[in-house]
């Protein structure tokens, strides 16, 4: 059982970089994560898969030479896969995903960071190189976007806050990327490689790494 914090910002870490990586995560609880995947594989398997994806995200981010903040969906957990000495822990604030991301970026820029990128915590396709490359793109661009195959994006980065990117979006639908790129059409932005995220059984059914979690479907 994880220790739950009553002070969301209690592990504030010293600023060591001009680059900040925001990681949005959902608390891994049975029946509350990967619900579309769970419709096929069941709640327990969906939770196990999500925990596997969390460990993957930790592995590709813990050694990055940037400051890192993990934003929890429900409550901050003190003792979990996110090492409090590496990842600053905070609670997402806002009514919808757009407002929560906007607030996280805003807090980062207020703190003095020059380049900020955000990712989720469930991208098996994502690598440490992808994240390093995203920050590198911000040396010559004002924005960077990582397009996802489902019509959303897996990474968004910027060197100045652009509020319109977080407004008037149907979050969780296949139109988010398209509408985001419309907002950026007059801006200097870079696109990363297309990646597949994990939402449905079809996203993982042919990937070897996920087979141990799917054995019960093949009996």
């Amino acid at each position: 059982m994880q220790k739950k914090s009553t002070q969301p910002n209690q592990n504030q870490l010293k600023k060591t970089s001009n680059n900040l990586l925001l990681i949005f995560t959902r608390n891994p609880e049975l029946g509350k994560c990967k619900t579309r995947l769970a419709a096929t594989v069941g709640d327990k398997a969906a939770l196990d898969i999500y925990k596997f994806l969390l460990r993957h995200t930790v592995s590709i981010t813990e050694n990055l030479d940037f400051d890192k903040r993990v934003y929890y969906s429900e409550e901050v957990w003190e003792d979990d896969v996110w090492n409090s000495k590496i990842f600053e822990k905070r609670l997402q604030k806002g009514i919808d995903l757009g407002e929560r991301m906007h607030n996280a970026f805003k807090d980062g820029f207020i703190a003095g960071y020059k380049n900020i990128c955000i990712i989720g915590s469930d991208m098996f396709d994502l690598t440490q190189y992808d994240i390093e490359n995203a920050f590198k793109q911000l040396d010559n661009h004002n924005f960077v976007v990582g397009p996802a195959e489902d019509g959303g994006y897996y990474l968004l980065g910027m060197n100045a806050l652009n509020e319109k990117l977080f407004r008037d979006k149907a979050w969780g639908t296949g139109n988010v990327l398209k509408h985001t790129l419309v907002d950026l059409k007059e801006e200097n932005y870079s696109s990363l490689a297309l990646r597949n995220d994990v939402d449905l059984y079809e996203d993982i059914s042919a990937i070897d790494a996920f087979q141990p979690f799917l054995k019960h479907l093949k009996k």
Side-chain angles (χ1 to χ4, degrees):
M1 183 70 179
Q2 286 83 3
K3 295 180 181 178
K4 300 175 181 180
S5 170
T6 57
Q7 301 178 41
N9 296 340
Q10 69 175 18
N11 81 313
Q12 287 190 3
L13 301 178
K14 182 179 178 181
K15 182 175 180 291
T16 63
S17 169
N18 284 323
N19 295 327
L20 175 64
L21 178 67
L22 309 173
I23 305 169
F24 265 39
T25 189
R26 182 174 293 278
N27 293 78
E29 297 179 296
L30 188 66
K32 296 183 179 181
C33 54
K34 290 296 163 195
T35 53
R36 286 186 287 172
L37 177 62
T40 302
V41 305
D43 286 343
K44 183 181 183 304
L47 177 60
D48 290 341
I49 290 168
Y50 186 57
K51 288 180 177 179
F52 169 74
L53 292 169
L54 290 179
R55 292 192 297 271
H56 170 74
T57 307
V58 170
S59 73
I60 65 171
T61 57
E62 62 184 351
N63 295 316
L64 288 168
D65 192 25
F66 313 134
D67 289 352
K68 297 168 279 283
R69 288 180 181 175
V70 176
Y71 278 83
Y72 291 74
S73 61
E74 306 299 328
E75 57 193 356
V76 173
W77 287 357
E78 296 177 11
D79 185 16
D80 60 3
V81 298
W82 307 101
N83 185 337
S84 297
K85 295 180 180 179
I86 299 174
F87 300 95
E88 185 173 327
K89 299 183 177 187
R90 297 194 174 199
L91 189 65
Q92 297 173 27
K93 298 180 296 183
I95 297 174
D96 63 9
L97 179 59
E99 185 176 349
R100 294 195 295 269
M101 289 195 296
H102 173 262
N103 286 331
F105 272 96
K106 182 179 179 181
D107 288 346
F109 284 119
I110 289 175
Y113 289 98
K114 304 301 182 185
N115 300 307
I116 304 177
C117 290
I118 190 169
I119 62 171
S121 54
D122 57 357
M123 282 290 299
F124 183 68
D125 267 0
L126 195 62
T127 68
Q128 180 174 326
Y129 169 79
D130 291 326
I131 301 170
E132 291 171 336
N133 182 43
F135 279 98
K136 186 176 181 180
Q137 294 303 310
L138 290 174
D139 290 340
N140 300 305
H141 302 83
N142 299 124
F143 301 90
V144 59
V145 181
E149 291 183 2
D150 65 358
Y153 55 77
Y154 61 85
L155 182 148
L156 178 66
M158 61 192 74
N159 53 34
L161 188 63
N162 185 330
E163 296 186 4
K164 67 182 179 181
L165 297 177
F166 307 106
R167 297 197 305 258
D168 303 320
K169 306 290 187 301
W171 302 107
T173 71
N175 293 319
V176 172
L177 176 64
K178 179 176 71 174
H179 293 153
T180 299
L181 295 181
V182 169
D183 290 338
L184 291 174
K185 64 182 179 180
E186 302 298 328
E187 304 286 354
N188 177 21
Y189 76 91
S190 174
S191 288
L192 304 177
L194 186 68
R195 295 280 186 254
N196 180 42
D197 57 6
V198 176
D199 288 316
L200 304 171
Y201 171 73
E202 291 74 18
D203 296 326
I204 63 172
S205 60
I207 300 175
D208 289 344
F210 292 99
Q211 297 313 303
F213 304 107
L214 306 176
K215 291 180 179 178
H216 64 293
L217 299 177
K218 301 173 183 179
K219 292 181 178 179

